[in-house]
Amino acid sequence: MSGQSEIIDRVPKDESAPQQPEEEVALNTILPLEVIDKSIGQNIKILLTNDKEFHGTLVGFDDYVNVVLENVQEYDSDGPKGKIIKKMLLNGGLVAMLVPSIN
Amino acid sequence: MSDASPPPPPAEASPPPPPSTSGSPTDFLKGVVGKRVVVRLTSGVDYRGVLSCLDGYMNIALEQTEEHVNGTVTNRYGDAFIRGNNVLYISAAEAL
């Protein structure tokens, strides 16, 4: 966040000049983890590298994309597997993709 | 001469950390240490036991450990150490 504002601050400020496209790009850039941050509290689908999936409510995550989930259902290639897990910490080492807002 | 007032108490170096409501992995782990947990390895084997401690690699020490393969107990260990790279997930076996 602070890095972003630094970049913007370094752009010379000229009141008369129209909006620079570079500045717009800097403002509109969304970091990948910001997308995930917006999904906290919502349902999320997590695809692993071993073709397993975890569907649940996203509670939190860290820079390694270790993920805390609630009410999780595990899936493998055959479909749902096991019971609903109330709360869990999923190791980020196997995470391939996070897909927000599934139902 | 003058009655020197006692020095003020030293200022707190930092405020106490906020209660663990943010739900980050660290907060989750703080909440489950000492509780019964299920540790699923990438191989699909489950280890159920009391989480005695763990570190940033997700290396885990369990007590009263039961090894579950396909839902049946295959081994029991008093203490078990699990190297973190094998861990798929940690879940609480009882309500937090």
PDB file of all heavy atoms in Angstrom, chain B residues 21-36:
ATOM      1  N   THR B  21      -8.897 -11.765  16.468  1.00  0.00           N
ATOM      2  CA  THR B  21     -10.155 -11.772  15.751  1.00  0.00           C
ATOM      3  C   THR B  21      -9.943 -11.709  14.246  1.00  0.00           C
ATOM      4  O   THR B  21     -10.883 -11.835  13.487  1.00  0.00           O
ATOM      5  CB  THR B  21     -11.016 -10.584  16.170  1.00  0.00           C
ATOM      6  OG1 THR B  21     -10.227  -9.399  16.077  1.00  0.00           O
ATOM      7  CG2 THR B  21     -11.528 -10.731  17.574  1.00  0.00           C
ATOM      8  N   SER B  22      -8.677 -11.477  13.813  1.00  0.00           N
ATOM      9  CA  SER B  22      -8.459 -11.274  12.396  1.00  0.00           C
ATOM     10  C   SER B  22      -8.528 -12.574  11.618  1.00  0.00           C
ATOM     11  O   SER B  22      -8.732 -12.543  10.413  1.00  0.00           O
ATOM     12  CB  SER B  22      -7.118 -10.587  12.166  1.00  0.00           C
ATOM     13  OG  SER B  22      -6.071 -11.519  12.293  1.00  0.00           O
ATOM     14  N   GLY B  23      -8.366 -13.707  12.292  1.00  0.00           N
ATOM     15  CA  GLY B  23      -8.550 -14.980  11.601  1.00  0.00           C
ATOM     16  C   GLY B  23      -7.387 -15.417  10.752  1.00  0.00           C
ATOM     17  O   GLY B  23      -7.535 -16.295   9.920  1.00  0.00           O
ATOM     18  N   SER B  24      -6.217 -14.818  10.953  1.00  0.00           N
ATOM     19  CA  SER B  24      -5.052 -15.202  10.157  1.00  0.00           C
ATOM     20  C   SER B  24      -4.571 -16.591  10.596  1.00  0.00           C
ATOM     21  O   SER B  24      -4.948 -17.070  11.662  1.00  0.00           O
ATOM     22  CB  SER B  24      -3.942 -14.188  10.355  1.00  0.00           C
ATOM     23  OG  SER B  24      -3.396 -14.321  11.641  1.00  0.00           O
ATOM     24  N   PRO B  25      -3.738 -17.233   9.751  1.00  0.00           N
ATOM     25  CA  PRO B  25      -3.206 -18.545  10.133  1.00  0.00           C
ATOM     26  C   PRO B  25      -2.546 -18.545  11.510  1.00  0.00           C
ATOM     27  O   PRO B  25      -2.748 -19.477  12.294  1.00  0.00           O
ATOM     28  CB  PRO B  25      -2.202 -18.826   9.017  1.00  0.00           C
ATOM     29  CG  PRO B  25      -2.804 -18.178   7.832  1.00  0.00           C
ATOM     30  CD  PRO B  25      -3.417 -16.903   8.356  1.00  0.00           C
ATOM     31  N   THR B  26      -1.796 -17.508  11.836  1.00  0.00           N
ATOM     32  CA  THR B  26      -1.139 -17.428  13.148  1.00  0.00           C
ATOM     33  C   THR B  26      -2.171 -17.436  14.271  1.00  0.00           C
ATOM     34  O   THR B  26      -1.993 -18.137  15.278  1.00  0.00           O
ATOM     35  CB  THR B  26      -0.309 -16.141  13.237  1.00  0.00           C
ATOM     36  OG1 THR B  26       0.445 -16.000  12.039  1.00  0.00           O
ATOM     37  CG2 THR B  26       0.620 -16.167  14.423  1.00  0.00           C
ATOM     38  N   ASP B  27      -3.248 -16.691  14.098  1.00  0.00           N
ATOM     39  CA  ASP B  27      -4.293 -16.639  15.121  1.00  0.00           C
ATOM     40  C   ASP B  27      -4.961 -18.000  15.283  1.00  0.00           C
ATOM     41  O   ASP B  27      -5.255 -18.435  16.402  1.00  0.00           O
ATOM     42  CB  ASP B  27      -5.352 -15.596  14.750  1.00  0.00           C
ATOM     43  CG  ASP B  27      -4.782 -14.200  14.757  1.00  0.00           C
ATOM     44  OD1 ASP B  27      -3.850 -13.960  15.537  1.00  0.00           O
ATOM     45  OD2 ASP B  27      -5.265 -13.363  13.971  1.00  0.00           O
ATOM     46  N   PHE B  28      -5.193 -18.651  14.160  1.00  0.00           N
ATOM     47  CA  PHE B  28      -5.794 -19.980  14.215  1.00  0.00           C
ATOM     48  C   PHE B  28      -4.906 -20.926  15.015  1.00  0.00           C
ATOM     49  O   PHE B  28      -5.384 -21.648  15.893  1.00  0.00           O
ATOM     50  CB  PHE B  28      -6.005 -20.521  12.798  1.00  0.00           C
ATOM     51  CG  PHE B  28      -6.453 -21.953  12.751  1.00  0.00           C
ATOM     52  CD1 PHE B  28      -7.781 -22.285  12.960  1.00  0.00           C
ATOM     53  CD2 PHE B  28      -5.539 -22.968  12.512  1.00  0.00           C
ATOM     54  CE1 PHE B  28      -8.194 -23.603  12.918  1.00  0.00           C
ATOM     55  CE2 PHE B  28      -5.950 -24.288  12.466  1.00  0.00           C
ATOM     56  CZ  PHE B  28      -7.277 -24.610  12.676  1.00  0.00           C
ATOM     57  N   LEU B  29      -3.598 -20.874  14.735  1.00  0.00           N
ATOM     58  CA  LEU B  29      -2.676 -21.794  15.400  1.00  0.00           C
ATOM     59  C   LEU B  29      -2.593 -21.511  16.888  1.00  0.00           C
ATOM     60  O   LEU B  29      -2.540 -22.436  17.700  1.00  0.00           O
ATOM     61  CB  LEU B  29      -1.294 -21.708  14.746  1.00  0.00           C
ATOM     62  CG  LEU B  29      -1.249 -22.263  13.323  1.00  0.00           C
ATOM     63  CD1 LEU B  29       0.116 -22.002  12.690  1.00  0.00           C
ATOM     64  CD2 LEU B  29      -1.558 -23.746  13.305  1.00  0.00           C
ATOM     65  N   LYS B  30      -2.592 -20.223  17.260  1.00  0.00           N
ATOM     66  CA  LYS B  30      -2.593 -19.879  18.687  1.00  0.00           C
ATOM     67  C   LYS B  30      -3.809 -20.481  19.370  1.00  0.00           C
ATOM     68  O   LYS B  30      -3.749 -20.893  20.528  1.00  0.00           O
ATOM     69  CB  LYS B  30      -2.611 -18.359  18.856  1.00  0.00           C
ATOM     70  CG  LYS B  30      -1.242 -17.710  18.685  1.00  0.00           C
ATOM     71  CD  LYS B  30      -1.371 -16.206  18.868  1.00  0.00           C
ATOM     72  CE  LYS B  30      -0.114 -15.503  18.409  1.00  0.00           C
ATOM     73  NZ  LYS B  30      -0.351 -14.065  18.168  1.00  0.00           N
ATOM     74  N   GLY B  31      -4.924 -20.516  18.638  1.00  0.00           N
ATOM     75  CA  GLY B  31      -6.167 -21.026  19.207  1.00  0.00           C
ATOM     76  C   GLY B  31      -6.195 -22.526  19.379  1.00  0.00           C
ATOM     77  O   GLY B  31      -6.925 -23.027  20.227  1.00  0.00           O
ATOM     78  N   VAL B  32      -5.425 -23.274  18.569  1.00  0.00           N
ATOM     79  CA  VAL B  32      -5.537 -24.738  18.619  1.00  0.00           C
ATOM     80  C   VAL B  32      -4.418 -25.416  19.405  1.00  0.00           C
ATOM     81  O   VAL B  32      -4.518 -26.615  19.668  1.00  0.00           O
ATOM     82  CB  VAL B  32      -5.608 -25.374  17.209  1.00  0.00           C
ATOM     83  CG1 VAL B  32      -6.894 -24.987  16.517  1.00  0.00           C
ATOM     84  CG2 VAL B  32      -4.399 -25.025  16.372  1.00  0.00           C
ATOM     85  N   VAL B  33      -3.357 -24.686  19.776  1.00  0.00           N
ATOM     86  CA  VAL B  33      -2.287 -25.315  20.559  1.00  0.00           C
ATOM     87  C   VAL B  33      -2.874 -25.795  21.887  1.00  0.00           C
ATOM     88  O   VAL B  33      -3.589 -25.066  22.567  1.00  0.00           O
ATOM     89  CB  VAL B  33      -1.116 -24.343  20.802  1.00  0.00           C
ATOM     90  CG1 VAL B  33      -0.126 -24.927  21.799  1.00  0.00           C
ATOM     91  CG2 VAL B  33      -0.406 -24.038  19.498  1.00  0.00           C
ATOM     92  N   GLY B  34      -2.594 -27.048  22.207  1.00  0.00           N
ATOM     93  CA  GLY B  34      -3.128 -27.647  23.433  1.00  0.00           C
ATOM     94  C   GLY B  34      -4.454 -28.356  23.232  1.00  0.00           C
ATOM     95  O   GLY B  34      -4.916 -29.061  24.116  1.00  0.00           O
ATOM     96  N   LYS B  35      -5.060 -28.185  22.058  1.00  0.00           N
ATOM     97  CA  LYS B  35      -6.355 -28.822  21.782  1.00  0.00           C
ATOM     98  C   LYS B  35      -6.147 -30.083  20.933  1.00  0.00           C
ATOM     99  O   LYS B  35      -5.093 -30.293  20.346  1.00  0.00           O
ATOM    100  CB  LYS B  35      -7.257 -27.846  21.001  1.00  0.00           C
ATOM    101  CG  LYS B  35      -7.443 -26.515  21.681  1.00  0.00           C
ATOM    102  CD  LYS B  35      -8.793 -26.478  22.370  1.00  0.00           C
ATOM    103  CE  LYS B  35      -8.953 -25.250  23.233  1.00  0.00           C
ATOM    104  NZ  LYS B  35      -8.811 -24.016  22.491  1.00  0.00           N
ATOM    105  N   ARG B  36      -7.212 -30.852  20.844  1.00  0.00           N
ATOM    106  CA  ARG B  36      -7.177 -32.025  19.950  1.00  0.00           C
ATOM    107  C   ARG B  36      -7.337 -31.542  18.509  1.00  0.00           C
ATOM    108  O   ARG B  36      -8.201 -30.718  18.209  1.00  0.00           O
ATOM    109  CB  ARG B  36      -8.295 -33.002  20.291  1.00  0.00           C
ATOM    110  CG  ARG B  36      -8.139 -33.641  21.656  1.00  0.00           C
ATOM    111  CD  ARG B  36      -8.986 -34.898  21.761  1.00  0.00           C
ATOM    112  NE  ARG B  36      -8.432 -35.979  20.959  1.00  0.00           N
ATOM    113  CZ  ARG B  36      -7.436 -36.767  21.372  1.00  0.00           C
ATOM    114  NH1 ARG B  36      -6.887 -36.590  22.547  1.00  0.00           N
ATOM    115  NH2 ARG B  36      -6.991 -37.728  20.589  1.00  0.00           N
TER     116      ARG B  36
END
